[in-house]
Amino acid sequence: MAIETLYDKDGSLDALSGKTVAVLGYGSQGHAHAQNLRDSGVTVIVANRADSANGKLAKEHGFDPLSVDEAVKRADVVIVALPDEVQPEVYEKSIKPNLRAGMALGSTHGFNVHFKTIVPPTDVDVIMVAPKGPGHTVRSEYENGGGVPCLLAVHQDASGKAFGIAMAWAIGVGGGRAGVLKTTFKDECETDLFGEQSVLCGGLSELIKTGFEVLTEAGYPPELAYFEVCHELKLIINLIERGGLNYMRYSISNTAEFGDYHTGPKIVDARTKETMKQVLADIQSGKFAKTFRDDYANGFVWFKAQREKDRNHPVEKVGKELRAMMPWLKPVEK
Ligand code: NDP
Ligand code: MG
């Protein structure tokens, strides 16, 4: 592998022995880090609003949710698992005033540290362990005896022990069983944003909606359009996940594979690549991060309007009806 990859044997949980780890937030990532670390023998405390759904879950799981101030005061290592947009204000108000020299400040995504919306003091370690999977998989794989691969980075090594602490965290969360890829806050943050915007979330959502619109505007029934441009994605993704594009192409019909080579480059063409390069440039320059922060400061007006518009797209209406016919999918409506 081009990147240094570490396993359980390359570190030790001992780096966290005698230390208290505070996990701030008990959402997707927080609940997984808190429980996995505790099950690995680490002393863990949790900060969350006690009366919210996540706060109640933390209690059910045997934690006693504290305020962020209190948790940071009691901790040696702080893992920030709060939404990226709220982190700067919680940091200024409740984390920074309680940080002491020699502590470690950890995050599960490099966004705020990399874009300097959080600037930790120079006398604390700044580390990251970012699992490459949703929190619920981080928890379930750990319970199954495995783990989700993690990215690990050290942004600031004040104690001289930052790597050992980060590695112990990665091991404790189960990442060392799968592989821990050593990287930087910059690379993790910029590739993560690029992936979710261009391919995984942004690119894919637009591809689905546009494919659906072309078929339905041409008079085809929306039900058929949904099956062909949305539902069947799962089958394709499963093949790619297991064996890459080669295995997907091996498994599909020759007609589908021929069409793939024939038409794919017309859909994602040289112009799309140029646009992707511009998207990357805007991420690297901090322009995207500023746009995100400005909208948050404005009450997420633009964000909420887009969410409302897309919630009512025809592909969502017909999708809801069709998913109800397939209970084995365990359909959810949000
Ligand atoms: P979630 O939205 O699932 O959970 C956020 C938690 O923060 C909740 O417990 C919430 O508590 C709490 N919270 C929200 N607002 C505040 C506030 N103002 N003050 C105090 N607590 C608050 O977040 P994620 O787990 O998705 O994301 C956390 C971090 O992990 C982010 O940096 C994200 O980029 C990163 N990450 C996420 C991944 C994922 O799969 N989701 C994957 C890898 C990294 P309450 O319930 O009370 O509102
Ligand atoms: Mg991401």
Side-chain angles (χ1 to χ4, degrees), residues 17 39 42 58 74 87 126 161 164-165 168 189 201 210 243 270 292 317:
S17 74
D39 290 350
V42 176
R74 294 191 198 177
Q87 288 185 19
V126 183
K161 296 176 182 159
I165 293 169
C189 178
C201 308
T210 307
F292 179 66
K317 293 205 176 101

Side-chain angles (χ1 to χ4, degrees), residues 50-269:
D51 53 352
S52 71
N54 286 322
K56 286 180 185 147
L57 192 64
K59 269 190 239 164
E60 269 172 42
H61 293 165
F63 291 107
D64 182 15
L66 304 164
S67 67
V68 171
D69 287 88
E70 192 55 36
V72 177
K73 273 182 202 156
R74 294 191 198 177
D76 304 294
V77 177
V78 175
I79 295 175
V80 184
L82 304 168
D84 296 308
E85 67 276 15
V86 312
Q87 288 185 19
E89 62 199 66
V90 175
Y91 174 78
E92 289 301 326
K93 190 170 145 279
S94 301
I95 301 176
K96 191 170 145 189
N98 298 304
L99 283 177
R100 306 174 311 278
M103 284 176 73
L105 183 66
S107 53
T108 55
H109 179 28
F111 191 88
N112 283 293
V113 167
H114 176 58
F115 289 116
K116 299 189 169 54
T117 32
I118 288 181
V119 183
T122 53
D123 56 6
V124 303
D125 295 339
V126 183
I127 56 180
M128 172 177 67
V129 171
K132 288 290 98 186
H136 298 90
T137 312
V138 174
R139 178 59 183 157
S140 60
E141 276 308 297
Y142 180 90
E143 287 181 298
N144 292 337
V148 168
C150 293
L151 304 186
L152 176 151
V154 174
H155 174 76
Q156 185 168 288
D157 184 8
S159 69
K161 296 176 182 159
F163 171 76
I165 293 169
M167 199 53 208
W169 169 14
I171 290 169
V173 86
R177 299 166 176 174
V180 179
L181 283 67
K182 215 173 154 192
T183 183
T184 60
F185 274 61
K186 175 183 188 297
D187 283 5
E188 182 276 338
C189 178
E190 293 176 354
T191 56
D192 183 86
L193 291 172
F194 178 81
E196 63 203 18
Q197 292 177 25
S198 302
V199 181
L200 304 177
C201 308
L204 189 57
S205 302
E206 289 305 314
L207 205 52
I208 292 171
K209 285 188 297 176
T210 307
F212 182 86
E213 287 165 12
V214 168
L215 283 178
T216 53
E217 285 166 16
Y220 295 99
E223 292 80 1
L224 267 61
Y226 179 82
F227 277 120
E228 300 308 331
V229 305
C230 186
H231 176 71
E232 288 186 18
L233 265 176
K234 176 74 180 338
L235 311 173
I236 297 297
I237 294 294
N238 281 351
L239 296 168
I240 296 174
E241 185 184 47
R242 289 191 59 210
L245 297 176
N246 285 347
Y247 181 56
M248 182 271 284
R249 285 162 168 169
Y250 160 81
S251 190
I252 61 180
S253 69
N254 280 344
T255 329
E257 188 181 358
F258 185 94
D260 172 342
Y261 304 131
H262 177 266
T263 305
K266 294 182 194 166
I267 303 294
V268 178
D269 58 11

